[in-house]
Amino acid sequence: MSVEEVVAKVFSVDPSEITDQSSKETIAEWDSMGHLSLITSLEDQFKVSLAIADAMEMTNVGQIKMVLKNYGVSL
Amino acid sequence: MSESRHSQTLSHNEVANAIDAFSLPSELPSDVRLRHAFERLILTAPKRAVEVVATYPDQITGLGPGIGNLLGRVLLEQKLLKDATQLFELVKPRFVTDVLLYTRLARALIQDENVEQAKQVMMSALDVDPGCLSAIRLLYELTVKDGKCEDADRWLARMAEVDQSYTAVSYVHKERQRNSAGQGHGVRIALLSSYVLDWLVPYLDLECRKAGLIPKFYQAPFNQYTQQVLNSESDLYRFKPEVIFVALGLEDVWPQIAVAWKEEEFTRAREAITDQVLGLVREIESRSGALTVVHSFTVFGQEGQGILQNRVSNSFSKWLAALNDNLAEALRTHERSFLMPLDSVIEWVGRERSCQAKMWYMAGMRIAEPALPELARYSIRYIKALKGLTRKCIVLDLDGTLWGGIVGEVGAEGVALGPSAPGIEYVDFQRALLGLTRRGILLAVCSKNNSDDAMAVIRAHPHMVIREEQFAAMKINWKNKADNIREIARDLNIGLDSLVFIDDNPNERELIRQLLPEVLTVDLPRDPSLYRRTLEGMTDFDLLALTKEDEMRAAQYQANAKRQAAKNAAVSLDEYLQSLEIRVSVHLASREVLSRLVQLFNKTNQFNLTTKRYQLEEVAQFMKSDDHLVYDLYVTDRFGDHGLVGTAVVRKGSDEWRIDSLLMSCRVMGLGIETAFLERIYADAVEAQVSRLIGEFVQSKKNQPVKEFYAQHGFSLLQDTDNRQDWVLDVGASPVVKPSWIQINIDEVGL
C-alpha cells in the first residue's frame, strides 16, 4: 500500500482524493485520535517504529512521506 | 485533443502496426490473442468493449478480473457513466472486482443526481465484497437523506460489524448521536480514569446499542477523577450515573513505584494503594447508588527478577497479583462495587497489542486500540446484568451442535464425540455449556430427530458431557422449531426474551430469527473449533450476585417436569394440588436476602403488580424504615425447594396500608400461593388495626396475568387513571383466605 492508500483507508476516503497537501484541515476524520490510528497503521504498513517527535511532525501527507524517507522507507 | 498529442498517438499507432507485423498474431495462443485484441479495444473504443462483454460474456470474463477493472477504470476516466453502470451490472460473478471503482461510479452518479442508480451500484459493490466499508457508508448516507432512520441505523450497525477500527466505530458513534434514532431504555455511564480512556466510548456505545440500550456518557476531565468523586456537587453526581467505571494506572496512583523495592516497601505500597482505591469506592457509594466497576491493576513492563521471580519473596509480579487479590477481597462485601479483571481482557487480546508503550507515552492511552472492542464487551456484562438483560436458558440443537454427524444416519456409536478430533470440539463445547449451569443458566434441547436415536447418545454415549437430568426441557421431534421453542418457554414459564437459540443449521436460525425475534439466535460459526469461544464471548449470562436460588435453579426445573407428570396423572385438579404438599413461609425480609430481592424486583415481569424496579439501596432503605414492611416468600413442595420466590413492599399509614409492590416468580404461578402470601399481609394489617388495605396495580406490557389479582381477592376499584389503578379492601369485612392445599409454616406467623 502507498502512503496515500494508508491515509485513505484509515479515514475511509477515496485514495484519488489524497494529495501531499491533505491534512487535518482537509480530512474530517483526521483529529487527534485519528492521528494515533494513522501512526499505528503507517508503522504496521512500513515496518517502522516512529519516534514520538517525528510522529507529531506528520501533519500532512507530504510530511509523512518525508519522515518515512528519513527512516529509510523507499516510497 | 491537442495537435501534438494527436501526432504522438499517430506515431504510436505506426509503431504498434510495425510491431504487429513482426509478432505474427495468428501464431500466439488464442487466449493471449483475445486478450490483446480486447485490451486494444478498451483503449480505443471502450463503449464498444462493453457491447463485446455483453455479447460474449463467457469468453471475455474468462480473461480474468484484471481486464474488467481496466475497462471499468477507462469508462470512468472518460465519464461514460451509463456504459460503466451497464458494465458493472453485466455479469455475475461480477466482472469488475475493484470495489473502489464502484464507489467512484456511485459518487459520479450522485453528482448527476442519479441516486437510485448509485444505490444499485453500491449494492453490487457489496456483492463483490460484503465488507466494503465505503459502499456501506455511502448507502448509509443516502438512506439518511431519504429520512429512513431505522434502515440507516442498520447500515451503521453493519459498518461497525465489518470494521472495528476506531475511525469506523467513532464515525458510527457520532452519526448515532446526531440521528438520535433507535428506541430502547437509556443507561447513564460515567468513566473516571487517571489516563485517556475516551477511545472506549464509541465501542461501549456500540455494545450498548447491540443490547438495545441507548447510552449517555459522562467523562471526568483528564485526571480529575478524585475531585469529581469527593465533591457531592460535582458534574459526576449531577449526571446521575447508573454505572461508574473507574480505571486507574498503577504509575498514576503511585508514581514512586519501583520494581526494585524491598519487601516491606512492597507491603506498604500495597496497603496504601488498596486504601486509596477503597477510599474512592466508599466516597462514591456514599454519594451515589451507581454500580461501581473498578479496573484491576496491570503493568506494561516486565519483572526485574527475571527467571528468579518464583524463587524470591519480593517479586514484582507476585506483588501485583497480591494487590489485585487484596482489592477483590475487600470489595467482595460491597454489593454495588466490583473489581473488573482487566488482565483477562488484555491476555485475550494479547499484551503486546493491548499495552503499546508509545500510545501511553504519546497520548496517555494505557489501553491501545486493538484491546478496546474486547474491553467494551467485558464492560457491557456489568451493564446488562444491572439492567436485567440476562438470558436464562440456552436452547440447543443436537446434530452438528452438541456432537458431529447426524445420529439418525450414523447411529449413536457413529457420532463425532470423544477425546480426539473430530469430536473433542463438541466435548469441550459441552463442558463450557455445563459450566454456565453453575450460574443458574438452564439448558434445553430442541432437535429434529427420532427421540430414541437422540436419547441413545444423551443417555449412553461414553463421552456425552451433558446428560438427560441436566436439561430442563427437551423437544426431540419433527415439529417446526418455532413451535417447539414456544413450548419450551411455556414449560419453563419464562419469556421468549429469556431464551438463546444455538443451532448449526442456518435455515433453522433464520426461521427462529423471523418468527421469534425476541429469542437471541446465535450466529454459530461453521467451524466447531470456534463453538466454545463463541459461547464464552457472549455477554448475556452475567448476574451481579449469585443467589442460592440461581444455583438451585436447574434442579428446580427438573422437579417441575416431575410436577407436570404428576399433574397429568392426577384425577382432578384439586387432587393434584393437594398432592403437591405445598408449604409456604412468609417473613419480614432480612438483609441477608437483599440481593435476591433486588434480583426479583428487576427480573420478574409477569406476576408483578406494579413492576417497580427497585435497586439495592432503595430496598435496603425500605427495610430500615419504620414506615415500610418488606416481605419475602419461600415455597417448597413434594418435589423440591423453590427457595425465595416472592416479595412485597407495604407502606404503612396510620389508618391504611398500601401494597406498593407485590411480585412472585412465575415458576410458582397458578397454585394459589399468591393468595397465601396476601393472607399474611392481610393478617398483619388486622393486627395493626388499620381499617383499609390499598392494592396498587400498574399495567405493563407483560403483567396481563395479574390484572384481576385484587378483584379476585375481594378488593374494589377505588381509582383508575391511565394504566394505574388503586384497589381497596375494608380490613375486617372481607378476609383473605388461603386455599386449603397450602400449608403455612407455623413458626413464621405474626409480626
Side-chain angles (χ1 to χ4, degrees), chain A:
Chain A
M1 257 199 282
S2 67
V3 171
E4 284 84 354
E5 281 166 334
V6 174
V7 174
K9 187 160 186 291
V10 170
F11 302 124
S12 51
V13 290
D14 191 324
S16 67
E17 291 169 16
I18 305 282
T19 67
D20 277 3
Q21 277 68 49
S22 298
S23 68
K24 288 187 180 189
E25 276 70 43
T26 64
I27 298 175
E29 266 80 13
W30 192 339
D31 54 15
S32 55
M33 300 221 186
H35 192 64
L36 294 181
S37 271
L38 178 61
I39 298 299
T40 314
S41 298
L42 289 169
E43 288 186 334
D44 285 351
Q45 180 64 35
F46 299 107
K47 310 272 177 276
V48 289
S49 187
L50 302 162
I52 295 171
D54 292 327
M56 288 177 167
E57 259 181 31
M58 294 176 142
T59 48
N60 65 32
V61 172
Q63 291 279 357
I64 291 176
K65 289 181 182 168
M66 236 166 64
V67 171
L68 285 175
K69 273 181 200 147
N70 289 341
Y71 277 78
V73 175
S74 49
L75 297 169

Side-chain angles (χ1 to χ4, degrees), chain B residues 640-655:
Chain B
D641 188 352
H642 292 277
L644 204 179
V645 288
T647 180
V649 175
V650 172
R651 278 174 208 275
K652 297 195 287 181
S654 57
D655 196 40

Side-chain angles (χ1 to χ4, degrees), chain A residues 10-12 14-16 29 31 33 36-37 40 43 49-50 52 55-56, chain B residues 100 104 107 133 137 166-167 171 174 198-199 358-359 361-363 365 369:
Chain A
V10 170
F11 302 124
S12 51
D14 191 324
S16 67
E29 266 80 13
D31 54 15
M33 300 221 186
L36 294 181
S37 271
T40 314
E43 288 186 334
S49 187
L50 302 162
I52 295 171
M56 288 177 167
Chain B
L100 201 59
R104 282 184 193 159
R107 291 239 160 83
L133 203 64
R137 184 161 161 174
Y166 178 78
T167 26
Y171 174 80
K174 278 181 212 146
D198 307 34
W199 291 48
K358 192 184 304 175
M359 291 297 141
Y361 303 155
M362 181 162 69
M365 220 177 96
E369 187 178 347

